[in-house]
C-alpha cells in the first residue's frame, strides 16, 4: 500500500487530502500521480470507482500552483461526458485546492444553467475549466472562450464519450488546444476508436493499467434473478421483492430507457417505497436536487438511466439493482461500480428474463464469472400481466390520425362533437314550381346556378360604377337594353334585373329621345376633337 505522502505532493495538498479522510492511495493514484507530476502524457485504464478523479486532480493542482490565470484563457481543461461527472470533478477540485496559498479559480461549463453566469466567470479569468463537450464548444463558437493557453488537458471516461457520440467533439477540442500540452487520458475500456484517438493525439504516453479493462471490483458480490416472463409488471414485482428481501440502506436502480425509469420510480412510490428518477430528459435543477437528496440520505432509492452510471460518486451505496440487462456489456461494469467504492463492500443484483438471453451472455463473457443466482419463491410470475394503457383515451395522437377519425365520423354521420346527424342529401333535381314540371338539371348547370348570384352582383356593381363615372349616359353600351343570355340559369336574370334609380332611368330616356327614339350607336351625335383634325398626306 502506498501512502499519499510518498507521491511527491506538496504539504498543502497532503493536508487537504488528509482532511477528506484519505491516507492511502489507490493503485491508479499511486502510479499515475508521480508520472503526471513530471509533465508526461498519461493513459490510465481502470474500472470505475478506483479513484481516477484524484489521480488527475491532485497533480494538476500541484502544477498550476505557479502562474496566474488570464481572462477567457484557462490554463487547464477537464472534459467529462455528463453533467453529474463534471460536477463531481469540480467538487473534488474545490476540496483539494482549498489549502493553496494562492487560491486557484475554476469554472463549471455544463448545460441546463445560465450562459451569463458562466460567462462572468470566464471574463474574470479561471485557472481550470471543467466542462462537457457541447457547452464548451457553445462558448467557443460565441467567441467567449480561447483555448490557446491550455497547458493541461484531461479527458475523463473516454469510452463513455464514445458511447454518447462525443468523439468528433473531442477531436475538435484537441485541435483547438496548443500542440504542446500535457494530456491525461482515462478510460475504463479501450475499444478500437479510443485506441485510435490516443495514437493520434497523445505523445508517447505512459500506459498505466491497474486492472484488465472492463473488470469488476472484488468488493462487489454479484447476483442474478431469473424470472420466466418478460412482462414489465412481473419485473417490477420481482424488483420490489428483492428490495424488501435485501433490507437495503440505499440503492440505485438502473433501467435501459428513460421512459422506463419514470415508470419504475412511480411504481416504487405507489407501493410505499422512497424513490425518485434521474435521467437526461430532466432539467438540471431537478437532477441536482434529486442527487443531493440521495447523497444526504434523504432519498433511499434512485432510479437512473446509464447517463448517471458514470457521474455518481457516492461513497456508501449498499446496493445496485439492474432492472434491465444493459445492451452494452461494458455498461454493466460501470453500473455496479456505483457500489463497493473506496474499499467498502457492496451488492449488485440483476433481473434476467427470456428476452435478455443475448445481452446476459455478453455480460457473463465480459466479466468472466457466473454470478450467484437468487430464487424468488411464493409468486407465479407467469400469471402477472401488465395492462396496456389505452392511448386513445388521452385524446392525443398525430394530426393525421385525427383527420382520419374525422373523415370516418363524417362518413358515419357524426359531427365534431360526436352527435349523430342525419346524412346530407345531394340535390339532384330542382324543386318543382307550382304549375310547372321540374326538368332535370345537369351538374354543371347546378354549379352555374349556385355561382350566378355572386356573378350577377359583381356585374351590377361594375355597371353602376361605370354609369356613375360617365356623364349623362353618353355611351350606348349602358343605355342599350341587354339581351337575355340563354345559358344563364333561370334564377340569374331575375337577380340581374334590378331596377336602377329613377334619375338614371330618365337620363337613358332623354338619350333615346334626342336620337329620335333610336338607340345611340358609336359616339352618338358628338365626335371627338381628334377626328375633326385635318390629315397630312404621307402620314397614317
Amino acid at each position: 500500500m502506498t501512502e499519499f505522502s510518498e507521491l511527491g505532493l506538496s504539504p498543502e495538498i497532503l493536508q487537504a487530502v488528509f482532511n477528506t479522510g484519505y491516507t492511502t492511495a489507490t493503485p491508479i493514484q499511486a502510479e499515475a500521480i508521480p508520472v503526471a507530476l513530471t509533465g508526461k502524457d498519461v493513459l490510465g485504464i481502470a474500472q470505475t470507482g478506483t479513484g481516477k478523479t484524484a489521480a488527475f486532480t491532485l497533480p494538476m493542482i500541484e502544477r498550476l500552483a505557479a502562474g496566474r490565470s488570464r481572462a477567457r484563457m484557462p490554463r487547464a481543461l477537464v472534459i467529462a461526458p455528463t453533467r453529474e461527472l463534471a460536477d463531481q470533478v469540480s467538487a473534488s477540485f474545490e476540496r483539494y485546492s482549498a489549502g493553496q496559498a494562492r487560491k486557484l479559480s475554476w469554472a463549471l461549463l455544463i448545460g441546463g444553467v445560465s450562459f451569463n453566469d458562466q460567462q462572468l466567470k470566464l471574463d474574470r479569468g479561471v485557472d481550470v475549466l471543467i466542462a462537457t463537450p457541447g457547452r464548451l464548444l457553445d462558448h467557443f463558437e460565441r467567441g467567449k472562450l480561447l483555448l490557446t493557453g491550455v497547458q493541461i488537458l484531461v479527458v475523463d471516461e473516454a469510452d463513455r464519450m464514445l458511447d454518447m457520440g462525443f468523439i468528433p467533439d473531442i477531436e475538435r477540442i484537441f485541435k483547438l488546444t496548443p500542440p504542446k500540452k500535457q494530456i491525461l487520458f482515462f478510460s475504463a475500456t479501450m475499444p478500437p476508436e479510443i485506441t485510435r484517438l490516443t495514437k493520434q493525439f497523445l505523445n508517447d504516453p505512459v500506459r498505466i493499467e491497474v486492472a484488465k479493462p472492463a473488470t469488476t471490483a472484488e468488493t462487489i458480490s454479484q447476483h442474478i434473478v431469473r424470472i420466466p416472463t418478460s412482462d414489465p409488471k412481473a419485473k417490477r414485482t420481482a424488483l420490489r421483492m428483492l428490495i424488501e428481501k435485501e433490507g437495503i440502506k440505499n440503492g440505485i436502480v438502473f433501467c435501459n430507457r428513460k421512459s422506463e425509469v419514470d415508470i419504475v420510480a412511480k411504481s416504487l412510490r405507489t407501493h410505499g417505497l422512497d424513490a425518485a428518477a434521474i435521467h437526461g430528459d430532466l432539467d438540471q435543477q431537478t437532477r441536482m436536487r434529486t442527487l443531493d437528496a440521495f447523497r444526504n440520505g434523504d432519498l433511499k432509492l434512485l432510479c437512473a438511466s446509464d447517463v448517471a452510471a458514470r457521474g455518481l460518486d457516492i461513497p456508501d451505496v449498499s446496493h445496485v439493482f439492474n432492472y434491465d440487462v444493459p445492451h452494452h456489456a461494458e455498461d454493466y461494469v460501470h453500473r455496479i461500480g456505483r457500489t463497493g467504492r473506496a474499499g467498502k463492500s457492496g451488492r449488485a443484483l440483476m433481473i434476467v428474463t427470456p428476452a435478455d438471453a443475448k445481452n446476459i451472455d455478453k455480460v457473463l463473457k465480459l466479466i468472466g464469472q457466473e454470478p450467484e443466482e437468487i430464487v424468488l419463491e411464493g409468486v407465479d410470475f407467469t400469471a402477472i400481466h401488465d395492462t396496456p394503457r389505452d392511448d386513445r383515451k388521452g385524446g392525443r395522437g398525430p394530426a393525421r390520425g385525427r383527420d382520419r377519425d374525422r373523415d370516418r365520423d363524417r362518413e358515419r354521420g357524426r359531427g365534431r362533437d360526436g352527435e349523430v346527424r342525419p346524412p346530407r342529401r345531394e340535390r339532384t333535381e330542382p324543386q318543382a314550381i307550382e304549375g310547372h314540371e321540374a326538368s332535370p338539371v345537369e351538374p354543371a348547370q347546378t354549379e352555374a346556378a349556385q355561382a350566378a348570384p355572386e356573378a350577377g352582383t359583381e356585374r351590377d356593381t361594375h355597371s353602376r360604377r361605370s354609369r356613375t363615372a360617365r356623364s349623362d349616359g353618353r355611351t350606348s353600351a349602358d343605355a342599350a337594353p341587354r339581351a337575355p343570355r340563354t345559358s344563364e340559369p333561370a334564377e340569374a336574370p331575375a337577380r340581374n334585373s334590378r331596377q336602377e334609380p329613377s334619375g338614371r332611368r330618365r337620363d337613358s330616356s332623354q338619350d333615346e329621345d334626342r336620337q329620335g327614339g333610336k338607340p345611340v350607336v358609336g359616339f352618338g351625335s358628338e365626335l371627338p376633337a381628334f377626328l375633326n383634325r385635318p390629315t397630312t398626306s404621307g402620314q397614317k
Side-chain angles (χ1 to χ4, degrees):
M1 303 296 290
T2 304
E3 301 289 332
F4 279 104
S5 57
E6 304 173 11
L7 301 180
L9 298 171
S10 64
E12 294 81 5
I13 295 180
L14 289 176
Q15 184 61 45
V17 172
F18 295 154
N19 291 340
T20 59
Y22 296 108
T23 57
T24 304
T26 63
I28 186 67
Q29 294 168 352
E31 295 191 38
I33 290 176
V35 177
L37 288 174
T38 63
K40 295 181 179 181
D41 289 357
V42 174
L43 174 59
I45 304 172
Q47 65 264 31
T48 183
T50 56
K52 295 192 299 293
T53 302
F56 63 78
T57 302
L58 297 179
M60 182 173 60
I61 296 174
E62 185 74 37
R63 295 198 60 200
L64 294 177
R68 291 187 175 274
S69 61
R70 289 180 290 176
R72 303 184 183 181
M73 294 183 65
R75 295 191 292 154
L77 176 62
V78 181
I79 304 298
T82 64
R83 303 173 187 177
E84 287 77 17
L85 185 55
D87 184 68
Q88 168 192 324
V89 173
S90 66
S92 298
F93 180 83
E94 183 179 16
R95 183 167 57 248
Y96 295 137
S97 64
Q100 294 296 308
R102 190 187 73 81
K103 187 175 181 180
L104 298 176
S105 59
W106 54 273
L108 178 63
L109 303 186
I110 58 176
V113 296
S114 173
F115 261 98
N116 295 332
D117 295 340
Q118 297 173 354
Q119 187 57 47
L120 290 175
K121 288 188 176 181
L122 293 176
D123 291 340
R124 288 195 296 265
V126 294
D127 295 294
V128 180
L129 197 58
I130 305 165
T132 53
R135 181 54 66 97
L136 176 69
L137 292 177
D138 286 343
H139 279 280
F140 179 82
E141 291 171 354
R142 294 187 180 195
K144 306 298 183 180
L145 178 66
L146 295 175
L147 300 178
T148 54
V150 173
Q151 303 170 12
I152 303 173
L153 175 60
V154 179
V155 179
D156 195 13
E157 301 285 0
D159 52 344
R160 181 58 178 166
M161 294 192 191
L162 173 64
D163 297 338
M164 300 176 69
F166 284 148
I167 294 303
D169 292 340
I170 297 301
E171 291 182 285
R172 184 182 177 190
I173 293 171
F174 270 119
K175 295 176 182 178
L176 292 175
T177 53
K180 189 177 181 180
K181 59 181 177 293
Q182 182 185 20
I183 299 176
L184 307 178
F185 197 95
F186 292 90
S187 180
T189 60
M190 288 297 294
E193 187 70 13
I194 298 300
T195 302
R196 181 194 64 82
L197 201 65
T198 57
K199 291 181 179 180
Q200 181 178 357
F201 294 104
L202 272 65
N203 181 24
D204 192 19
V206 177
R207 184 184 179 101
I208 300 173
E209 188 173 347
V210 299
K212 294 181 179 180
T215 57
T216 57
E218 297 179 357
T219 56
I220 305 173
S221 59
Q222 305 175 52
H223 309 271
I224 62 174
V225 178
R226 298 184 183 272
I227 60 176
T229 176
S230 301
D231 188 87
K233 187 174 182 180
K235 292 179 65 176
R236 294 194 295 269
T237 303
L239 175 64
R240 292 194 302 271
M241 293 179 65
L242 284 175
I243 293 174
E244 295 172 358
K245 182 178 180 180
E246 289 290 319
I248 67 172
K249 173 185 177 183
N250 57 3
I252 303 175
V253 181
F254 284 105
C255 305
N256 287 345
R257 296 183 300 275
K258 290 178 282 189
S259 59
E260 199 70 31
V261 172
D262 291 326
I263 295 173
V264 172
K266 183 178 179 181
S267 174
L268 293 175
R269 289 195 301 268
T270 302
H271 289 81
L273 297 173
D274 185 19
I278 180 172
H279 53 74
D281 285 349
L282 298 175
D283 62 87
Q284 186 63 20
Q285 291 183 353
T286 301
R287 292 165 65 175
M288 297 306 298
R289 184 167 57 249
T290 303
L291 199 54
D292 290 340
F294 187 69
R295 283 196 179 104
N296 298 332
D298 299 330
L299 182 65
K300 190 173 184 179
L301 290 170
L302 185 67
C303 300
S305 60
D306 284 317
V307 71
R310 303 289 184 96
L312 300 181
D313 183 21
I314 303 167
D316 196 14
V317 176
S318 63
H319 289 73
V320 167
F321 299 91
N322 283 285
Y323 176 82
D324 294 316
V325 179
H327 297 305
H328 303 285
E330 294 83 359
D331 288 337
Y332 174 79
V333 177
H334 298 293
R335 286 181 178 185
I336 69 173
R338 299 306 103 194
T339 186
R341 300 173 71 88
K344 297 182 179 181
S345 60
R347 289 173 64 84
L349 302 98
M350 180 165 55
I351 300 174
V352 181
T353 68
D356 300 322
K358 292 184 179 180
N359 291 337
I360 188 62
D361 289 343
K362 295 178 183 178
V363 171
L364 298 180
K365 182 179 179 181
L366 178 67
I367 63 177
Q369 58 177 303
E370 184 73 26
E372 182 182 351
E373 185 170 349
I374 296 178
V375 179
L376 298 177
E377 299 178 351
V379 176
D380 183 10
F381 289 101
T382 58
I384 302 176
H385 300 286
D386 195 7
T387 303
R389 292 176 295 176
D390 190 356
D391 294 335
R392 292 175 296 178
K393 294 181 180 179
R396 297 182 179 179
R400 178 174 290 183
R402 291 197 297 268
D403 292 341
R404 287 196 296 265
D405 293 341
R406 190 182 300 115
D407 294 340
R408 286 196 298 268
D409 289 341
R410 289 177 179 174
E411 293 173 2
R412 297 171 182 173
R414 295 182 180 271
R416 294 179 64 182
D417 54 358
E419 179 184 358
V420 179
R421 299 176 181 174
R424 183 183 299 176
R425 293 182 178 179
E426 296 294 338
R427 186 176 179 180
T428 58
E429 52 182 336
Q431 298 291 335
I433 303 175
E434 186 178 356
H436 298 277
E437 294 182 0
S439 58
V441 182
E442 295 296 330
Q445 294 179 354
T446 303
E447 296 178 359
Q450 294 175 357
E454 297 181 1
T457 302
E458 183 178 355
R459 287 194 297 270
D460 290 343
T461 304
H462 178 69
S463 178
R464 285 197 299 270
R465 291 177 179 174
S466 301
R467 284 194 293 270
T468 303
R470 298 179 185 131
S471 63
D472 299 332
R474 288 191 177 92
T475 59
S476 60
D478 294 333
R482 182 176 297 169
R485 299 173 62 181
T486 58
S487 60
E488 288 285 333
E491 297 179 358
R495 291 181 178 272
N496 289 337
S497 60
R498 297 172 59 185
Q499 297 294 329
E500 294 292 335
S502 58
R504 296 184 183 277
R505 192 162 52 250
R506 285 197 301 270
D507 292 343
S508 300
S509 301
Q510 291 173 2
D511 290 341
E512 293 181 2
D513 291 342
R514 286 196 295 267
Q515 298 298 330
K518 298 180 180 180
V520 179
V521 180
F523 292 103
S525 59
E526 298 180 4
L527 292 177
F530 72 89
L531 293 178
N532 295 328
R533 293 177 184 173
T535 59
T536 305
S537 60
Q539 294 183 355
K540 295 183 179 179

